[in-house]
Amino acid sequence: MSEVYTKSPKHCGKQRLNIHKLCKKLFYTFSTFFLSLLLFIFLVWLILHPSKPEFSLREANLYQLNLSDPQLLNSSIQLTLLSKNPNKKVGIYYDHLQVYASYKGQQITVYTSLPPFYQGHEESNLLTASLVGTGLPVASSFRYEVGRDQTAGKLVLSLKVTGRLRWKVWTWVSGRYRFNVNCISVMDFGPTIPSGPLSSKQGSQCSTTI
């Protein structure tokens, strides 16, 4: 005759209690590790506290700014920017860069994309872009505003950069942050139209927001 072994309710209850304790212990272990990792990253970020990148306008040349129709604009601008990473221990990945120009709040060129790049510690890079606009709609007051600036002898353009960046600290790379750059270009624009392009070479500092 074979013997039949059965587990008592007390034994089953004890086994379930042990499994529960093990799961609880594993949960606390992983939670502690995860929180410690987050705390470490936060402390590194707090200690290094990266400064935002610096941009300055090196040169801007306006080759075309005329109306093909009372409210349709054609434009052509060539510009050079200097981008600098002021951080000693933080690198910057520029994942997405778009440049365009505006005049008195009106966009006068389409977006021009620049290739992504990595900027090392305290490194500087020259960025060049050709901005164009063909048949862009503008306000009916555009011609009047340009004529008034020509009488005043100065043409003021806003050259803007939008994009996304990531910070790099050792092997750790942050999430993406949106940033905006605004550069002001002031060009001599007298009553007589010069044969060459209108130029701005004053090397003005640009404002950067993240």
Side-chain angles (χ1 to χ4, degrees), residues 55-56 58-59 78-83 94 97 99 114-115 117 119 125-129 161:
F55 288 83
S56 58
R58 282 293 179 253
E59 184 177 358
Q78 180 78 29
L79 64 88
T80 301
L81 295 172
L82 178 67
S83 170
Y94 293 95
L97 289 167
V99 189
L114 298 180
F117 66 97
Q119 196 169 53
N125 299 87
L126 282 175
L127 309 175
T128 59
V161 183

PDB file of all heavy atoms in Angstrom, residues 55-56 58-59 78-83 94 97 99 114-115 117 119 125-129 161:
ATOM      1  N   PHE A  55      26.110  82.015 -28.450  1.00  0.00           N
ATOM      2  CA  PHE A  55      26.136  82.260 -29.889  1.00  0.00           C
ATOM      3  C   PHE A  55      26.430  83.733 -30.145  1.00  0.00           C
ATOM      4  O   PHE A  55      25.976  84.602 -29.400  1.00  0.00           O
ATOM      5  CB  PHE A  55      24.792  81.895 -30.531  1.00  0.00           C
ATOM      6  CG  PHE A  55      24.524  80.421 -30.602  1.00  0.00           C
ATOM      7  CD1 PHE A  55      24.009  79.744 -29.508  1.00  0.00           C
ATOM      8  CD2 PHE A  55      24.789  79.699 -31.771  1.00  0.00           C
ATOM      9  CE1 PHE A  55      23.757  78.382 -29.553  1.00  0.00           C
ATOM     10  CE2 PHE A  55      24.540  78.337 -31.828  1.00  0.00           C
ATOM     11  CZ  PHE A  55      24.024  77.682 -30.724  1.00  0.00           C
ATOM     12  N   SER A  56      27.165  83.998 -31.207  1.00  0.00           N
ATOM     13  CA  SER A  56      27.411  85.377 -31.628  1.00  0.00           C
ATOM     14  C   SER A  56      27.375  85.437 -33.149  1.00  0.00           C
ATOM     15  O   SER A  56      27.724  84.476 -33.840  1.00  0.00           O
ATOM     16  CB  SER A  56      28.758  85.891 -31.100  1.00  0.00           C
ATOM     17  OG  SER A  56      29.814  85.076 -31.550  1.00  0.00           O
ATOM     18  N   ARG A  58      28.784  86.571 -36.491  1.00  0.00           N
ATOM     19  CA  ARG A  58      30.052  87.008 -37.053  1.00  0.00           C
ATOM     20  C   ARG A  58      29.866  87.846 -38.319  1.00  0.00           C
ATOM     21  O   ARG A  58      30.559  88.837 -38.541  1.00  0.00           O
ATOM     22  CB  ARG A  58      30.933  85.785 -37.362  1.00  0.00           C
ATOM     23  CG  ARG A  58      31.596  85.196 -36.141  1.00  0.00           C
ATOM     24  CD  ARG A  58      32.614  86.197 -35.593  1.00  0.00           C
ATOM     25  NE  ARG A  58      33.278  85.703 -34.386  1.00  0.00           N
ATOM     26  CZ  ARG A  58      33.052  86.143 -33.176  1.00  0.00           C
ATOM     27  NH1 ARG A  58      32.140  87.075 -32.976  1.00  0.00           N
ATOM     28  NH2 ARG A  58      33.703  85.680 -32.142  1.00  0.00           N
ATOM     29  N   GLU A  59      28.910  87.439 -39.165  1.00  0.00           N
ATOM     30  CA  GLU A  59      28.708  88.171 -40.415  1.00  0.00           C
ATOM     31  C   GLU A  59      27.333  87.841 -40.984  1.00  0.00           C
ATOM     32  O   GLU A  59      26.857  86.712 -40.881  1.00  0.00           O
ATOM     33  CB  GLU A  59      29.799  87.801 -41.425  1.00  0.00           C
ATOM     34  CG  GLU A  59      29.749  88.574 -42.717  1.00  0.00           C
ATOM     35  CD  GLU A  59      30.897  88.220 -43.657  1.00  0.00           C
ATOM     36  OE1 GLU A  59      31.747  87.393 -43.269  1.00  0.00           O
ATOM     37  OE2 GLU A  59      30.923  88.766 -44.770  1.00  0.00           O
ATOM     38  N   GLN A  78      23.010  85.420 -46.437  1.00  0.00           N
ATOM     39  CA  GLN A  78      24.102  84.517 -46.059  1.00  0.00           C
ATOM     40  C   GLN A  78      24.618  84.950 -44.693  1.00  0.00           C
ATOM     41  O   GLN A  78      24.917  86.137 -44.491  1.00  0.00           O
ATOM     42  CB  GLN A  78      25.235  84.581 -47.084  1.00  0.00           C
ATOM     43  CG  GLN A  78      26.422  83.669 -46.790  1.00  0.00           C
ATOM     44  CD  GLN A  78      26.168  82.225 -47.152  1.00  0.00           C
ATOM     45  OE1 GLN A  78      25.395  81.953 -48.055  1.00  0.00           O
ATOM     46  NE2 GLN A  78      26.806  81.299 -46.447  1.00  0.00           N
ATOM     47  N   LEU A  79      24.724  84.007 -43.757  1.00  0.00           N
ATOM     48  CA  LEU A  79      25.179  84.394 -42.414  1.00  0.00           C
ATOM     49  C   LEU A  79      26.188  83.404 -41.851  1.00  0.00           C
ATOM     50  O   LEU A  79      26.240  82.235 -42.261  1.00  0.00           O
ATOM     51  CB  LEU A  79      23.996  84.542 -41.456  1.00  0.00           C
ATOM     52  CG  LEU A  79      23.154  83.313 -41.109  1.00  0.00           C
ATOM     53  CD1 LEU A  79      23.728  82.572 -39.925  1.00  0.00           C
ATOM     54  CD2 LEU A  79      21.726  83.714 -40.796  1.00  0.00           C
ATOM     55  N   THR A  80      26.981  83.899 -40.924  1.00  0.00           N
ATOM     56  CA  THR A  80      27.960  83.074 -40.209  1.00  0.00           C
ATOM     57  C   THR A  80      27.801  83.318 -38.713  1.00  0.00           C
ATOM     58  O   THR A  80      27.845  84.462 -38.253  1.00  0.00           O
ATOM     59  CB  THR A  80      29.403  83.420 -40.628  1.00  0.00           C
ATOM     60  OG1 THR A  80      29.544  83.222 -42.035  1.00  0.00           O
ATOM     61  CG2 THR A  80      30.400  82.537 -39.890  1.00  0.00           C
ATOM     62  N   LEU A  81      27.616  82.242 -37.966  1.00  0.00           N
ATOM     63  CA  LEU A  81      27.478  82.306 -36.511  1.00  0.00           C
ATOM     64  C   LEU A  81      28.641  81.588 -35.844  1.00  0.00           C
ATOM     65  O   LEU A  81      29.172  80.604 -36.389  1.00  0.00           O
ATOM     66  CB  LEU A  81      26.170  81.647 -36.063  1.00  0.00           C
ATOM     67  CG  LEU A  81      24.851  82.279 -36.491  1.00  0.00           C
ATOM     68  CD1 LEU A  81      23.700  81.361 -36.115  1.00  0.00           C
ATOM     69  CD2 LEU A  81      24.668  83.641 -35.842  1.00  0.00           C
ATOM     70  N   LEU A  82      29.003  82.048 -34.659  1.00  0.00           N
ATOM     71  CA  LEU A  82      29.983  81.352 -33.831  1.00  0.00           C
ATOM     72  C   LEU A  82      29.254  80.740 -32.642  1.00  0.00           C
ATOM     73  O   LEU A  82      28.573  81.439 -31.887  1.00  0.00           O
ATOM     74  CB  LEU A  82      31.070  82.300 -33.336  1.00  0.00           C
ATOM     75  CG  LEU A  82      32.138  81.677 -32.419  1.00  0.00           C
ATOM     76  CD1 LEU A  82      32.982  80.672 -33.193  1.00  0.00           C
ATOM     77  CD2 LEU A  82      33.010  82.749 -31.784  1.00  0.00           C
ATOM     78  N   SER A  83      29.363  79.436 -32.500  1.00  0.00           N
ATOM     79  CA  SER A  83      28.744  78.720 -31.373  1.00  0.00           C
ATOM     80  C   SER A  83      29.842  78.273 -30.415  1.00  0.00           C
ATOM     81  O   SER A  83      30.855  77.703 -30.840  1.00  0.00           O
ATOM     82  CB  SER A  83      27.978  77.498 -31.893  1.00  0.00           C
ATOM     83  OG  SER A  83      27.576  76.665 -30.834  1.00  0.00           O
ATOM     84  N   TYR A  94      24.146  68.705 -30.457  1.00  0.00           N
ATOM     85  CA  TYR A  94      23.112  69.456 -31.161  1.00  0.00           C
ATOM     86  C   TYR A  94      22.435  68.498 -32.135  1.00  0.00           C
ATOM     87  O   TYR A  94      23.006  68.127 -33.155  1.00  0.00           O
ATOM     88  CB  TYR A  94      23.712  70.647 -31.912  1.00  0.00           C
ATOM     89  CG  TYR A  94      24.270  71.717 -31.009  1.00  0.00           C
ATOM     90  CD1 TYR A  94      25.628  71.739 -30.680  1.00  0.00           C
ATOM     91  CD2 TYR A  94      23.453  72.715 -30.482  1.00  0.00           C
ATOM     92  CE1 TYR A  94      26.149  72.722 -29.850  1.00  0.00           C
ATOM     93  CE2 TYR A  94      23.967  73.698 -29.650  1.00  0.00           C
ATOM     94  CZ  TYR A  94      25.310  73.692 -29.341  1.00  0.00           C
ATOM     95  OH  TYR A  94      25.825  74.666 -28.515  1.00  0.00           O
ATOM     96  N   LEU A  97      18.931  71.609 -35.720  1.00  0.00           N
ATOM     97  CA  LEU A  97      19.162  73.050 -35.827  1.00  0.00           C
ATOM     98  C   LEU A  97      18.447  73.592 -37.061  1.00  0.00           C
ATOM     99  O   LEU A  97      18.615  73.062 -38.166  1.00  0.00           O
ATOM    100  CB  LEU A  97      20.656  73.358 -35.944  1.00  0.00           C
ATOM    101  CG  LEU A  97      21.548  73.163 -34.703  1.00  0.00           C
ATOM    102  CD1 LEU A  97      23.004  73.218 -35.111  1.00  0.00           C
ATOM    103  CD2 LEU A  97      21.253  74.224 -33.670  1.00  0.00           C
ATOM    104  N   VAL A  99      17.531  77.459 -38.975  1.00  0.00           N
ATOM    105  CA  VAL A  99      17.838  78.887 -38.995  1.00  0.00           C
ATOM    106  C   VAL A  99      16.858  79.595 -39.933  1.00  0.00           C
ATOM    107  O   VAL A  99      16.501  79.058 -40.992  1.00  0.00           O
ATOM    108  CB  VAL A  99      19.283  79.141 -39.473  1.00  0.00           C
ATOM    109  CG1 VAL A  99      19.669  80.602 -39.289  1.00  0.00           C
ATOM    110  CG2 VAL A  99      20.262  78.234 -38.734  1.00  0.00           C
ATOM    111  N   LEU A 114      20.579  72.813 -40.395  1.00  0.00           N
ATOM    112  CA  LEU A 114      22.022  72.612 -40.288  1.00  0.00           C
ATOM    113  C   LEU A 114      22.283  71.192 -39.790  1.00  0.00           C
ATOM    114  O   LEU A 114      21.475  70.637 -39.036  1.00  0.00           O
ATOM    115  CB  LEU A 114      22.643  73.619 -39.315  1.00  0.00           C
ATOM    116  CG  LEU A 114      22.525  75.100 -39.691  1.00  0.00           C
ATOM    117  CD1 LEU A 114      23.180  75.963 -38.618  1.00  0.00           C
ATOM    118  CD2 LEU A 114      23.167  75.370 -41.042  1.00  0.00           C
ATOM    119  N   PRO A 115      23.382  70.569 -40.206  1.00  0.00           N
ATOM    120  CA  PRO A 115      23.661  69.189 -39.780  1.00  0.00           C
ATOM    121  C   PRO A 115      23.923  69.105 -38.276  1.00  0.00           C
ATOM    122  O   PRO A 115      24.506  70.026 -37.693  1.00  0.00           O
ATOM    123  CB  PRO A 115      24.905  68.811 -40.587  1.00  0.00           C
ATOM    124  CG  PRO A 115      25.545  70.108 -40.949  1.00  0.00           C
ATOM    125  CD  PRO A 115      24.425  71.092 -41.116  1.00  0.00           C
ATOM    126  N   PHE A 117      25.711  68.044 -34.740  1.00  0.00           N
ATOM    127  CA  PHE A 117      27.129  67.895 -34.399  1.00  0.00           C
ATOM    128  C   PHE A 117      27.297  67.839 -32.892  1.00  0.00           C
ATOM    129  O   PHE A 117      26.388  68.180 -32.128  1.00  0.00           O
ATOM    130  CB  PHE A 117      27.965  69.035 -34.993  1.00  0.00           C
ATOM    131  CG  PHE A 117      27.675  70.397 -34.426  1.00  0.00           C
ATOM    132  CD1 PHE A 117      28.473  70.928 -33.416  1.00  0.00           C
ATOM    133  CD2 PHE A 117      26.610  71.158 -34.899  1.00  0.00           C
ATOM    134  CE1 PHE A 117      28.207  72.190 -32.892  1.00  0.00           C
ATOM    135  CE2 PHE A 117      26.347  72.416 -34.390  1.00  0.00           C
ATOM    136  CZ  PHE A 117      27.143  72.929 -33.390  1.00  0.00           C
ATOM    137  N   GLN A 119      29.686  69.125 -29.637  1.00  0.00           N
ATOM    138  CA  GLN A 119      30.590  70.208 -29.236  1.00  0.00           C
ATOM    139  C   GLN A 119      31.238  69.845 -27.910  1.00  0.00           C
ATOM    140  O   GLN A 119      30.552  69.690 -26.898  1.00  0.00           O
ATOM    141  CB  GLN A 119      29.814  71.519 -29.128  1.00  0.00           C
ATOM    142  CG  GLN A 119      30.680  72.759 -29.086  1.00  0.00           C
ATOM    143  CD  GLN A 119      29.835  74.010 -29.248  1.00  0.00           C
ATOM    144  OE1 GLN A 119      28.874  74.204 -28.521  1.00  0.00           O
ATOM    145  NE2 GLN A 119      30.195  74.859 -30.194  1.00  0.00           N
ATOM    146  N   ASN A 125      32.581  76.484 -32.628  1.00  0.00           N
ATOM    147  CA  ASN A 125      32.355  76.055 -34.004  1.00  0.00           C
ATOM    148  C   ASN A 125      31.727  77.196 -34.806  1.00  0.00           C
ATOM    149  O   ASN A 125      30.860  77.910 -34.300  1.00  0.00           O
ATOM    150  CB  ASN A 125      31.422  74.845 -34.074  1.00  0.00           C
ATOM    151  CG  ASN A 125      31.971  73.637 -33.345  1.00  0.00           C
ATOM    152  OD1 ASN A 125      31.783  73.473 -32.146  1.00  0.00           O
ATOM    153  ND2 ASN A 125      32.661  72.776 -34.072  1.00  0.00           N
ATOM    154  N   LEU A 126      32.159  77.330 -36.053  1.00  0.00           N
ATOM    155  CA  LEU A 126      31.554  78.293 -36.964  1.00  0.00           C
ATOM    156  C   LEU A 126      30.422  77.608 -37.728  1.00  0.00           C
ATOM    157  O   LEU A 126      30.594  76.508 -38.249  1.00  0.00           O
ATOM    158  CB  LEU A 126      32.593  78.837 -37.943  1.00  0.00           C
ATOM    159  CG  LEU A 126      33.564  79.906 -37.417  1.00  0.00           C
ATOM    160  CD1 LEU A 126      34.594  80.250 -38.478  1.00  0.00           C
ATOM    161  CD2 LEU A 126      32.804  81.160 -36.978  1.00  0.00           C
ATOM    162  N   LEU A 127      29.272  78.262 -37.776  1.00  0.00           N
ATOM    163  CA  LEU A 127      28.107  77.736 -38.484  1.00  0.00           C
ATOM    164  C   LEU A 127      27.731  78.709 -39.587  1.00  0.00           C
ATOM    165  O   LEU A 127      27.562  79.906 -39.335  1.00  0.00           O
ATOM    166  CB  LEU A 127      26.922  77.558 -37.526  1.00  0.00           C
ATOM    167  CG  LEU A 127      27.186  76.780 -36.231  1.00  0.00           C
ATOM    168  CD1 LEU A 127      25.944  76.803 -35.348  1.00  0.00           C
ATOM    169  CD2 LEU A 127      27.588  75.343 -36.543  1.00  0.00           C
ATOM    170  N   THR A 128      27.598  78.221 -40.806  1.00  0.00           N
ATOM    171  CA  THR A 128      27.198  79.073 -41.921  1.00  0.00           C
ATOM    172  C   THR A 128      25.873  78.557 -42.491  1.00  0.00           C
ATOM    173  O   THR A 128      25.614  77.354 -42.498  1.00  0.00           O
ATOM    174  CB  THR A 128      28.259  79.090 -43.035  1.00  0.00           C
ATOM    175  OG1 THR A 128      28.458  77.749 -43.515  1.00  0.00           O
ATOM    176  CG2 THR A 128      29.568  79.641 -42.510  1.00  0.00           C
ATOM    177  N   ALA A 129      25.055  79.476 -42.961  1.00  0.00           N
ATOM    178  CA  ALA A 129      23.754  79.104 -43.518  1.00  0.00           C
ATOM    179  C   ALA A 129      23.369  80.072 -44.621  1.00  0.00           C
ATOM    180  O   ALA A 129      23.645  81.275 -44.533  1.00  0.00           O
ATOM    181  CB  ALA A 129      22.685  79.095 -42.422  1.00  0.00           C
ATOM    182  N   VAL A 161      17.742  80.983 -34.496  1.00  0.00           N
ATOM    183  CA  VAL A 161      18.068  79.554 -34.525  1.00  0.00           C
ATOM    184  C   VAL A 161      17.166  78.837 -33.529  1.00  0.00           C
ATOM    185  O   VAL A 161      17.029  79.277 -32.380  1.00  0.00           O
ATOM    186  CB  VAL A 161      19.547  79.292 -34.152  1.00  0.00           C
ATOM    187  CG1 VAL A 161      19.870  77.805 -34.266  1.00  0.00           C
ATOM    188  CG2 VAL A 161      20.486  80.105 -35.026  1.00  0.00           C
TER     189      VAL A 161
END
